[in-house]
């Protein structure tokens, strides 16, 4: 990785941002790390516990859409990685307003400050969802963007806005589009952590539609390594797909989780589908691999490590699932009716 003095990690209290910050600390012990995070329901300071007492770490509690908070956090930084976002597709289908505020306006505020400060890199963490669904083959970086839900449409706005600041003002922007991440510290509203923790407790696993939608799964530490790699090898103005090369149907993931935990398939409930549910995502990652990056984790190893982590770290997820009223309210809103009219698998 190129010399970095002070790195701003926005959204660093979330799942991927915190993994990136912890990884950066391991490979660059001398780097100063600033985390800017609003601490929404998905932000959790427990994810950053390793930084307690670290003199080269600073946490700024603030919103990326607030210019004053952004100016404070970005002061003296040479590199910014923007992980901050509203990230859950299902929530965006209920209400998209915060998605526009953070995933579009927030990116704009960060870019304006980046322009003023003068950085060596601004990495916008985008998503494979901006391409839309693909039934056969895989998306390349040059393919047209066709997002199909409010989350991915908002992320697409942030993705292209970031690029526009490269093209218009020369801000050294790199855009990355990653596939579905999984691993430790993943907020338990998403498929894998929800199903693992529900299965541990013998609760229903609500599988949408026919359960045959396909995602490409990327172990979160592989994603963090890819971003570090791109800080060195990525070119400003370029887009890079980051995928795990693990395409798998949701129903198969569900079976594997149950097997790893020794639980019965009777826990699976087929529930009504997510509106506009993208059938399949798949990325061509040749551009990144040609530079020399490849994932270290195969899905079997990564899933086993993830399940083990949730079994061994109930202290992390039980307070969210059992004591956070906002999680309970969300669960009831998204699954209450669905589970009443659900069917067993098969
Ligand atoms: P997450 O939901 O776990 O964490 C998001 C973090 O951003 C939280 O700490 C939250 O408090 C913070 N945040 C939200 N709004 C903010 C605001 N206005 N100002 C400051 N902080 C704010 O998300 P994640 O899964 O870690 O995703 C990180 C990034 O990676 C996102 O940009 C997401 O779109 C992208 N991404 C995620 C995946 C995935 O599978 N999880 C895949 C591809 C891309
Ligand atoms: O592809 C990258 C994207 O992956 C990221 O940009 C998003 O931030 C991230 O949340 C993720 O989006 P998905 O919608 O693919 O992830 P989620 O875990 O919500 O769903 C994965 C699949 O599982 C999807 O086909 C929907 C299905 N699903 C999900 C949940 C939560 C279910 O069948 N039941 C569920 O309860």
């Amino acid at each position: 990785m190129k010399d970095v003095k002070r790195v701003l990690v926005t959204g660093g209290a979330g799942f991927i941002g915190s993994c990136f910050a912890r990884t950066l600390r391991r490979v660059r012990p001398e780097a100063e790390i600033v985390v800017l995070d609003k601490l929404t329901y998905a932000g959790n300071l427990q994810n950053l516990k390793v930084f307690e007492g670290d003199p080269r770490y600073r946490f700024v509690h603030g919103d990326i859409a607030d210019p004053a908070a952004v100016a404070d956090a970005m002061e003296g930084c040479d590199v910014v990685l923007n992980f901050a976002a509203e990230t859950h597709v299902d929530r965006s289908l209920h209400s998209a307003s915060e998605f526009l505020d953070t995933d579009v306006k927030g990116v704009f505020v960060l870019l304006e400050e980046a322009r003023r400060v003068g950085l060596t890199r601004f990495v916008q963490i985008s998503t494979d969802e901006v391409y839309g669904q693909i039934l056969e083959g895989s998306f390349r970086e040059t393919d047209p963007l066709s997002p199909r839900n409010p989350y991915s449409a908002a992320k697409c706005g942030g993705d292209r806005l970031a690029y526009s600041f490269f093209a218009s003002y020369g801000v050294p922007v790199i855009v990355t589009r990653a596939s579905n991440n999984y691993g430790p510290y993943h907020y338990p509203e998403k498929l894998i952590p929800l199903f693992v923790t529900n299965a541990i407790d013998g609760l229903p696993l609500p599988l949408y539609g026919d359960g045959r939608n396909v995602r490409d799964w990327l172990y979160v530490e592989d994603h963090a390594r890819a971003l570090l790699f791109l800080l060195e090898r990525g070119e400003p103005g370029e887009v890079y797909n980051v995928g795990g090369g693990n395409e798998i149907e949701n129903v198969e993931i569900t079976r594997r989780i149950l097997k790893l935990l020794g639980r019965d398939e009777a826990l699976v409930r087929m529930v009504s589908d997510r509106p506009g549910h993208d059938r399949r995502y798949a990325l061509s990652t040749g551009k990144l691999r040609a530079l020399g990056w490849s994932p270290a984790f195969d899905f079997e190893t990564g899933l086993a490590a993830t399940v083990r982590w949730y079994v061994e770290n109930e202290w992390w997820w039980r307070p969210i699932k059992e004591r956070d009223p906002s999680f309970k309210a969300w669960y009831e809103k998204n699954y209450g009716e669905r589970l009443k009219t659900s069917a067993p698998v098969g």
Side-chain angles (χ1 to χ4, degrees):
M1 197 171 78
K2 279 195 182 58
D3 258 1
V4 289
K5 287 194 285 295
R6 189 178 292 172
V7 181
L8 174 60
V9 182
T10 64
F15 166 49
I16 307 172
S18 67
C19 179
F20 176 81
R22 293 189 303 267
T23 309
L24 175 62
R25 171 52 72 238
R26 276 199 304 275
V27 300
R28 278 296 159 119
E30 74 286 1
E32 290 179 44
I33 300 176
V34 181
V35 167
L36 170 63
D37 200 293
K38 188 178 172 182
L39 297 178
T40 66
Y41 75 94
N44 189 341
L45 289 176
Q46 303 285 354
N47 302 357
L48 295 165
K49 255 183 129 35
V50 301
F51 289 100
E52 277 172 13
D54 182 335
R56 291 177 314 289
Y57 165 78
R58 181 163 80 102
F59 181 79
V60 179
H61 183 198
D63 188 332
I64 60 163
D66 172 6
V70 167
D72 171 22
M74 214 183 282
E75 195 191 342
C77 290
D78 42 357
V79 171
V80 173
L81 294 104
N82 178 33
F83 295 90
E86 289 294 334
T87 60
H88 195 27
V89 172
D90 289 317
R91 287 187 194 248
S92 80
L93 292 162
H94 286 272
S95 163
S97 171
E98 296 95 327
F99 290 75
L100 298 175
D101 293 343
T102 294
D103 302 8
V104 184
K105 177 75 189 301
V107 178
F108 166 70
V109 172
L110 287 171
L111 289 162
E112 282 283 82
E113 186 61 16
R115 215 179 132 190
R116 205 184 61 76
V117 163
L119 302 169
T120 58
R121 287 291 182 274
F122 181 103
V123 183
Q124 171 62 14
I125 317 298
S126 187
T127 165
D128 62 357
E129 295 208 14
V130 297
Y131 295 113
Q133 62 182 353
I134 186 164
L135 302 183
E136 279 173 22
S138 54
F139 285 120
R140 296 169 62 154
E141 288 84 350
T142 45
D143 282 332
L145 305 184
S146 188
R148 289 166 26 94
N149 61 62
Y151 159 71
S152 53
K155 286 294 291 185
C156 186
D159 176 315
R160 290 299 81 196
L161 197 59
Y163 176 76
S164 79
F165 270 61
F166 165 78
S168 308
Y169 309 116
V171 177
V173 168
I174 288 176
V175 174
T176 60
R177 296 183 184 141
S179 63
N180 283 61
N181 283 221
Y182 69 106
Y185 302 99
H186 202 182
Y187 189 82
E189 66 187 350
K190 308 281 168 60
L191 177 78
I192 289 182
L194 177 69
F195 280 22
V196 171
T197 55
N198 275 13
I200 289 171
D201 281 346
L203 296 171
L205 311 190
L207 200 50
Y208 295 157
D210 64 2
R212 303 203 54 194
N213 299 63
V214 172
R215 299 291 182 266
D216 164 26
W217 294 91
L218 171 67
Y219 195 62
V220 66
E221 288 177 20
D222 278 330
H223 189 183
R225 277 196 319 107
L227 294 170
L228 288 172
F229 179 84
L230 282 170
L231 281 180
E232 180 162 359
R233 302 292 300 276
E235 286 297 322
E238 292 294 317
V239 176
Y240 298 90
N241 289 341
V242 188
N246 297 300
E247 276 188 47
I248 179 161
E249 289 183 351
N250 296 334
V251 66
E252 176 58 22
I253 295 185
T254 307
R255 285 198 192 105
R256 292 194 196 185
I257 289 171
L258 289 168
K259 192 158 176 234
L260 283 163
L261 287 166
R263 293 282 180 172
D264 198 277
E265 285 198 15
L267 287 180
V268 181
R269 309 302 302 176
M270 306 305 292
V271 299
S272 61
D273 209 353
R274 172 186 279 178
H277 194 174
D278 286 339
R279 191 64 174 167
R280 173 174 174 264
Y281 300 138
L283 287 176
S284 160
T285 55
K287 185 171 173 181
L288 181 57
R289 285 174 186 256
L291 293 178
W293 176 87
S294 60
F297 285 82
D298 61 56
F299 190 67
E300 205 182 328
T301 312
L303 187 65
T306 303
V307 169
R308 202 178 322 117
W309 189 86
Y310 281 91
V311 168
E312 290 171 358
N313 290 281
E314 294 195 4
W315 67 271
W316 184 85
W317 56 268
R318 279 210 186 277
I320 300 171
K321 289 189 78 175
E322 291 173 5
R323 293 200 282 284
D324 182 348
S326 80
F327 182 86
K328 284 177 188 274
W330 163 251
Y331 200 80
E332 179 53 32
K333 186 171 172 179
N334 197 49
Y335 298 104
E337 277 309 308
R338 275 178 157 136
L339 282 168
K340 280 185 201 148
T341 52
S342 64
V345 71

